Amino acid sequence: MSKKDKKIVKSKSHSRQIDKNVNEETVNYYLRIATTLDEGFQGQEDKELFLHNVFIQLEKEDIHVFMHPALQNVLVKLTELTSIEQTTKLLKVLKENTAEMLNDGKSRKVMCSLLLQVAEFSCEGDQRSEEDEDQVEAMRDIFLEICQSLKGDIENVLVVKTVLQVLSGQVNMSAKDVGLNRTKTVWTYTPPTEFIQTFHEMCEEIFSLEDIQKKVEHNKASMILTHIFPLLHKVDQQACDKFIRKFLTMSAILQEHEKFLWLVSDQRGSFLMQKVIECSSDEIFTELYTTACKEHMLSLAIHPQANFVLESLIARAVDKDQFEDMFKELKENFEDILAFNHLRIITSLAKASHQLKTCQMKLVKHLMKAFHCYEPESRQDKFVPLLATLATFEVYFEMEEGSDKPSKENPTLGKVNIHGSLILQTLLEFKNPKYVVNSLLQMSPTNLRNMACDASGSRVLEMFFKSSTVTEKNKAAMVDQLQEVLQDIACNSCGSWIIETMWKELPLQQKTVIVKTLAKHDRRLSQDQYGKYIHKTCEVSTYIHNIKNWTEMQTSSQKKRKMFQEILQAPDPKKKKKKA
């Protein structure tokens, strides 16, 4: 018998076993409850009476009801509707049967949903009566007892993750974790002292396991550590640094680059290292970068898994000097990185360059070299379409091998790559975006229309008009360039957003050019599902019938917007420096 056949037989026998423990009448009862909950109630009183009766029955049920696969969704929904008293009673059931429920994978989502109720009621302190306060204390005591039984557990990732989040007051679960029926899975609150103490104890217990490193190496504990570090980062940075240092020491990552490369070559190990990088102090990060990553950046960049870690390294650069070190190591290898399709690394470099205000012109020039459009100078105007479509000059212009002349003079712009778009958007925010601006202004109206009507390409043009480093003169030139295709852009789902952006960002002179062009296509715009919104935004009808009135309206609107911006940008008097 094959492994696959054995698995099928095993799952069928498990299903029959559960069916023996839970009769059909019980299953149908809870399925009817699910239908009733979906249909809703006439009033809150009816709902409370219904739930009261349901929970009385649920508290009496055999533990196998909680483990029945057909009942998981309705039980998740019911646990979210529990009162403090009902949560406490169900937690008692959970406490008495923790081991059995943990062994059954299907019931873990019900467990997690119930555990989240502890966080739900713990953050409602100001609204509670004295009686409710006593019930909350009882609920917390049982919850803490459950936590004690989970200390040192790294196998039951989902349940331990939930418990740690509830203890830390930083709940951020996904619908996948607790089922699609639970509505609230993300919130923060101030946990009681006992919770924080237990949280630290659980972390200590996990990091004290003798075989923790071995289990990390075999992917058993890496997921738990991936969840622990971000929680510690929010709750106690000092403790976070202590545990990160302990992890790096026991894993020998700071001593052996091979150990580091081995860990980040694995999917879970790579994700864990990203969290370490994001959550560590500047001191630890610098040590990690210097000892394990420096002079190995290219090998990380071209690795199918480790390249994600390199992204985090670049984004985490502490200062200009550190980033310049990273950039120096990678700048000559942009074409190799692009060949491996690891475009997020280039995006990270561009964003870090923008934030730290360094290496901006160098980055653009090396990018142009990677796309073979820096030299000769006549190719520089083609930079945007090449980066947008991620094609080298020779590929984009279909040049034959050995030929100096392109087969096509002005190819039609195809689909814009999302990463190419993100990089271009960042380059437009650089201190001097001249290469991108010049290339955009040299594009034909047809290709600009194609870019504007593309989901990713439209974002580039939006940034062009929003950017504070693109001059008003260049923005005006772009409006002129777009005139003959403006009506097509206005009648497109993506393009219409660009017209909206232009309308918000441009002065009256350019607005007049836009509305004058759109007025020639009044009927088309007013009848199009997207064009009609632009027709209304730009007050095309008013312009057609009374230009003077339209001008006065736009002037008034512009003055109000300017005044509002001045109010927003006004310095806070509280932040003024005190006199010495």
Side-chain angles (χ1 to χ4, degrees):
M1 187 183 288
S2 67
K3 287 184 180 179
K4 188 176 180 182
D5 292 334
K6 286 179 181 177
K7 194 173 182 181
I8 291 169
V9 170
K10 188 177 179 182
S11 65
K12 283 183 178 177
S13 64
H14 182 61
S15 177
R16 283 198 297 272
Q17 185 184 352
I18 288 177
D19 289 341
K20 286 179 182 178
N21 289 312
V22 183
N23 61 50
E24 193 174 342
E25 186 182 342
T26 302
V27 173
N28 289 335
Y29 169 72
Y30 285 102
L31 293 179
R32 287 197 301 274
I33 287 170
T35 304
T36 306
L37 290 172
D38 289 337
E39 290 173 352
F41 302 87
Q42 289 184 350
Q44 186 62 27
E45 198 173 317
D46 290 345
K47 182 179 179 180
E48 287 175 2
L49 180 62
F50 174 80
L51 289 173
H52 176 74
N53 293 330
V54 170
F55 283 117
I56 287 175
Q57 179 61 34
L58 187 59
E59 290 157 19
K60 298 175 185 176
E61 296 289 6
D62 183 86
I63 189 64
H64 292 93
V65 168
F66 292 86
M67 301 190 303
H68 197 288
L71 303 181
Q72 297 306 296
N73 286 340
V74 64
L75 291 176
V76 167
K77 187 176 282 190
L78 282 171
T79 51
E80 190 177 15
L81 299 170
T82 54
S83 64
I84 302 171
E85 185 182 0
Q86 290 157 353
T87 301
T88 305
K89 288 178 180 178
L90 291 177
L91 281 172
K92 284 181 182 177
V93 175
L94 171 58
K95 186 189 78 171
E96 291 162 6
N97 300 277
T98 301
E100 194 170 357
M101 289 185 75
L102 286 174
N103 288 334
D104 179 76
K106 298 180 187 67
S107 61
R108 287 174 190 166
K109 290 185 178 182
V110 179
M111 290 178 69
C112 292
S113 185
L114 183 60
L115 292 168
L116 288 179
Q117 288 298 92
V118 178
E120 175 74 32
F121 293 122
S122 291
C123 62
E124 295 178 353
D126 297 336
Q127 304 167 16
R128 287 197 295 265
S129 64
E130 197 171 316
E131 185 183 346
D132 283 346
E133 193 66 48
D134 292 338
Q135 289 180 345
V136 167
E137 286 300 318
M139 176 192 70
R140 286 173 176 169
D141 289 342
I142 296 171
F143 171 68
L144 289 172
E145 286 182 50
I146 293 170
C147 293
Q148 294 300 322
S149 67
L150 291 168
K151 280 186 177 179
D153 188 341
I154 57 172
E155 301 292 331
N156 296 291
V157 177
L158 182 59
V159 177
V160 175
K161 168 188 171 181
T162 308
V163 163
L164 290 170
Q165 289 191 13
V166 173
L167 289 171
S168 66
Q170 305 288 330
V171 178
N172 188 4
M173 303 293 283
S174 67
K176 183 182 175 183
D177 291 333
V178 289
L180 294 172
N181 287 321
R182 187 174 178 96
T183 53
K184 189 175 180 183
T185 56
V186 179
W187 69 95
T188 58
Y189 69 99
T190 304
T193 308
E194 299 86 353
F195 279 25
I196 294 295
Q197 185 179 338
T198 305
F199 171 73
H200 282 295
E201 287 172 4
M202 287 189 74
C203 293
E204 286 279 4
E205 195 83 25
I206 288 169
F207 280 96
S208 297
L209 292 172
E210 290 182 6
D211 59 346
I212 181 67
Q213 180 54 28
K214 189 177 179 181
K215 288 181 176 177
V216 168
E217 290 177 1
H218 290 88
N219 288 332
K220 294 291 185 183
S222 60
M223 288 179 71
I224 287 293
L225 301 191
T226 298
H227 296 304
I228 285 178
F229 289 136
L231 293 174
L232 281 165
H233 181 57
K234 291 174 182 175
V235 172
D236 186 341
Q237 184 60 49
Q238 192 174 351
C240 182
D241 288 341
K242 180 184 86 170
F243 287 122
I244 285 177
R245 174 74 68 183
K246 186 170 185 178
F247 167 69
L248 294 174
T249 302
M250 68 186 183
S251 59
I253 285 171
L254 296 177
Q255 288 76 39
E256 303 172 42
H257 172 71
E258 289 72 23
K259 278 278 187 182
F260 175 82
L261 190 59
W262 178 87
L263 182 67
V264 299
S265 298
D266 169 78
Q267 186 177 358
R268 287 182 183 170
S270 170
F271 193 46
L272 171 58
M273 187 50 61
Q274 286 179 72
K275 294 302 175 186
V276 169
I277 289 166
E278 289 167 17
C279 299
S280 60
S281 64
D282 289 352
E283 182 186 348
I284 293 176
F285 171 75
T286 300
E287 188 177 348
L288 175 65
Y289 163 67
T290 306
T291 58
C293 309
K294 197 173 181 180
E295 297 179 7
H296 300 284
M297 302 287 273
L298 180 58
S299 62
L300 296 177
I302 61 176
H303 192 279
Q305 201 60 52
N307 72 91
F308 296 109
V309 175
L310 180 56
E311 279 180 59
S312 298
L313 277 168
I314 294 165
R316 184 67 176 75
V318 171
D319 52 33
K320 286 184 180 182
D321 291 339
Q322 200 172 75
F323 174 75
E324 285 165 7
D325 256 3
M326 295 176 183
F327 179 76
K328 186 178 179 181
E329 205 171 325
L330 292 169
K331 65 181 182 181
E332 301 296 341
N333 301 294
F334 279 7
E335 193 166 354
D336 294 324
I337 295 168
L338 291 166
F340 278 89
N341 206 31
H342 294 165
L343 297 147
R344 292 162 65 105
I345 293 171
I346 306 294
T347 308
S348 295
L349 284 168
K351 286 180 179 177
S353 181
H354 170 242
Q355 288 165 359
L356 296 169
K357 296 178 173 57
T358 185
C359 299
Q360 293 183 0
M361 198 55 73
K362 289 179 183 177
L363 187 142
V364 175
K365 287 178 180 178
H366 280 283
L367 258 180
M368 293 173 81
K369 286 178 181 178
F371 285 99
H372 308 167
C373 64
Y374 186 63
E375 291 175 336
E377 196 174 327
S378 58
R379 291 186 175 188
Q380 292 178 1
D381 289 343
K382 309 303 178 186
F383 180 45
V384 168
L386 299 182
L387 181 49
T389 57
L390 299 180
T392 61
F393 188 89
E394 293 81 4
V395 172
Y396 187 79
F397 288 96
E398 298 180 9
M399 289 176 64
E400 294 179 11
E401 196 173 343
S403 173
D404 293 333
K405 292 185 178 180
S407 301
K408 293 184 177 180
E409 286 298 320
N410 194 16
T412 302
L413 184 75
K415 184 172 176 58
V416 176
N417 182 280
I418 187 169
H419 293 291
S421 171
L422 290 169
I423 296 166
L424 283 168
Q425 288 173 59
T426 307
L427 300 187
L428 281 166
E429 293 187 279
F430 279 9
K431 187 178 179 181
N432 184 1
K434 66 176 184 177
Y435 288 110
V436 179
V437 170
N438 291 342
S439 182
L440 276 167
L441 290 173
Q442 289 299 315
M443 287 174 70
S444 68
T446 302
N447 278 345
L448 285 171
R449 180 195 61 200
N450 291 349
M451 177 172 272
C453 296
D454 180 275
S456 300
S458 61
R459 298 294 183 182
V460 177
L461 288 174
E462 278 189 65
M463 183 53 71
F464 178 91
F465 289 107
K466 284 181 177 179
S467 174
S468 59
T469 56
V470 177
T471 64
E472 294 301 321
K473 183 181 176 182
N474 284 324
K475 289 177 183 179
M478 179 60 78
V479 172
D480 292 338
Q481 189 77 340
L482 290 171
Q483 273 192 70
E484 67 180 76
V485 293
L486 213 53
Q487 70 280 4
D488 295 331
I489 295 172
C491 294
N492 177 270
S493 58
C494 299
S496 58
W497 285 106
I498 294 173
I499 309 290
E500 292 264 11
T501 301
M502 292 165 72
W503 204 253
K504 289 175 185 174
E505 301 294 332
L506 295 173
L508 183 60
Q509 188 177 353
Q510 271 68 59
K511 284 184 178 181
T512 306
V513 174
I514 293 169
V515 76
K516 188 176 179 180
T517 303
L518 294 177
K520 296 173 185 176
H521 306 276
D522 174 52
R523 189 171 179 180
R524 180 186 173 187
L525 260 65
S526 60
Q527 293 178 350
D528 184 85
Q529 62 172 325
Y530 302 110
K532 64 184 178 184
Y533 293 108
I534 298 303
H535 190 276
K536 185 179 178 181
T537 299
C538 300
E539 302 281 357
V540 176
S541 294
T542 306
Y543 178 84
I544 292 170
H545 295 104
N546 193 330
I547 294 176
K548 185 180 178 182
N549 189 23
W550 179 89
T551 305
E552 287 174 356
M553 286 170 63
Q554 296 306 318
T555 304
S556 173
S557 176
Q558 201 149 306
K559 282 180 180 178
K560 285 179 184 177
R561 191 178 293 115
K562 187 179 178 183
M563 192 183 299
F564 184 65
Q565 285 177 342
E566 285 173 355
I567 292 168
L568 289 176
Q569 292 169 5
D572 187 345
K574 293 179 182 178
K575 292 183 179 179
K576 285 184 178 178
K577 292 181 180 178
K578 292 181 181 179
K579 291 182 180 179

